[in-house]
Amino acid sequence: MNHSSPPQLIIVASNDNETLDLVPRRDLSASLPESFITNYVHWYNHQSGIVEFRPVESAWCSSDSSWFLEDTGSERVLKRPGQTLICPTSPATNHICRTLRSLEEETHIHLILDNGTSMLNIHLPRLQLDFSIEQGSSRVHCRQFRGMYVDKVQQIGTLVGFQSKLTLRDSNNKRMILVPDGNVHYSGIPGHVQVGVVYGSSTMAACRVSFA
């Protein structure tokens, strides 16, 4: 009996200057955000050895603003002019993602470094929320709520069993919490109940806001 792998369809695009192979989505790194896999078509360039990420609506057109996956020898880096995508599991950003997991799962958190200013921009596209960290600062500022940043103390003295909340604070020590508007799930453990909002179920452009 022949146990060899079934044949695979290989799509190749070429012109006078270059030859491109279509990279199957299943071959891309699981560390990439989900939208960078599903919302793009990925072409491997034989001449440069680089994979270009093109939006699905312009799969046949190259652009200077495209994302390019480069192999530096020690790692693969996804870049476009002026910006670099940062892996959410890197030691420098892992603690940020752990905090934001209260609102969103890691595969839908985009960490993008501005190469010119060294500012780290953090996008949660499904919740339409954006955060940023300036060079030399440890504060994670929320762009939708001016002057507010992620509080190092996330406990608020209530809603103890509720998992899907993010506490913000301003320079006057005014605090607020962000809660996604979505489907609720709960689980019970001995002597305690945990409640949260299902990832990806929020139907609002932004999160509901409660003040504390």
Side-chain angles (χ1 to χ4, degrees), residues 33-45:
E34 180 68 21
S35 66
F36 279 78
I37 297 176
T38 59
N39 294 343
Y40 290 85
V41 174
H42 315 88
W43 293 102
Y44 172 75
N45 188 307

Side-chain angles (χ1 to χ4, degrees), residues 95-96 98-103 131 140 148-160 162-169 175-179 212:
H95 69 287
I96 300 171
R98 282 202 308 269
T99 301
L100 295 180
R101 271 205 300 262
S102 60
L103 297 182
F131 301 85
V140 183
M148 306 296 292
Y149 56 89
V150 176
D151 197 338
K152 291 183 179 180
V153 180
Q154 285 294 298
Q155 294 79 12
I156 59 173
T158 186
L159 299 175
V160 176
F162 188 69
Q163 306 297 306
S164 302
K165 63 182 184 296
L166 184 70
T167 306
L168 305 180
R169 178 188 294 271
R175 305 176 82 202
M176 61 185 292
I177 61 171
L178 303 182
V179 179

Side-chain angles (χ1 to χ4, degrees), residues 86-112:
I86 305 299
C87 178
T89 58
S90 70
T93 59
N94 188 40
H95 69 287
I96 300 171
C97 289
R98 282 202 308 269
T99 301
L100 295 180
R101 271 205 300 262
S102 60
L103 297 182
E104 183 60 284
E105 53 191 331
E106 283 186 2
T107 54
H108 292 278
I109 297 176
H110 301 176
L111 304 168
I112 299 176

Side-chain angles (χ1 to χ4, degrees), residues 80 89 92 125-126 135 146 153 178:
R80 68 179 178 185
T89 58
R126 295 198 299 188
Q135 184 182 24
R146 189 171 182 177
V153 180
L178 303 182

Side-chain angles (χ1 to χ4, degrees), residues 30-97:
S31 63
L32 288 172
E34 180 68 21
S35 66
F36 279 78
I37 297 176
T38 59
N39 294 343
Y40 290 85
V41 174
H42 315 88
W43 293 102
Y44 172 75
N45 188 307
H46 283 252
Q47 282 67 38
S48 65
I50 293 174
V51 178
E52 181 180 356
F53 287 50
R54 299 178 183 176
V56 292
E57 61 271 15
S58 55
W60 303 103
C61 301
S62 182
S63 171
D64 291 338
S65 62
S66 293
W67 289 93
F68 295 91
L69 185 64
E70 302 179 19
D71 191 341
T72 64
S74 59
E75 61 179 348
R76 291 183 176 180
V77 180
L78 188 62
K79 295 182 177 182
R80 68 179 178 185
Q83 296 181 323
T84 301
L85 183 73
I86 305 299
C87 178
T89 58
S90 70
T93 59
N94 188 40
H95 69 287
I96 300 171
C97 289

Side-chain angles (χ1 to χ4, degrees), residues 122-209:
I122 307 163
H123 307 291
L124 280 60
R126 295 198 299 188
L127 295 176
Q128 298 190 30
L129 280 174
D130 303 282
F131 301 85
S132 63
I133 306 175
E134 295 182 352
Q135 184 182 24
S137 174
S138 61
R139 288 184 174 178
V140 183
H141 289 269
C142 182
R143 292 184 175 175
Q144 279 71 27
F145 301 97
R146 189 171 182 177
M148 306 296 292
Y149 56 89
V150 176
D151 197 338
K152 291 183 179 180
V153 180
Q154 285 294 298
Q155 294 79 12
I156 59 173
T158 186
L159 299 175
V160 176
F162 188 69
Q163 306 297 306
S164 302
K165 63 182 184 296
L166 184 70
T167 306
L168 305 180
R169 178 188 294 271
D170 67 10
S171 58
N172 296 317
N173 288 326
K174 183 178 182 180
R175 305 176 82 202
M176 61 185 292
I177 61 171
L178 303 182
V179 179
D181 177 25
N183 300 328
V184 175
H185 70 86
Y186 63 91
S187 60
I189 58 177
H192 190 62
V193 175
Q194 290 186 338
V195 181
V197 176
V198 178
Y199 287 140
S201 67
S202 178
T203 58
M204 296 186 67
C207 294
R208 286 183 177 174
V209 182

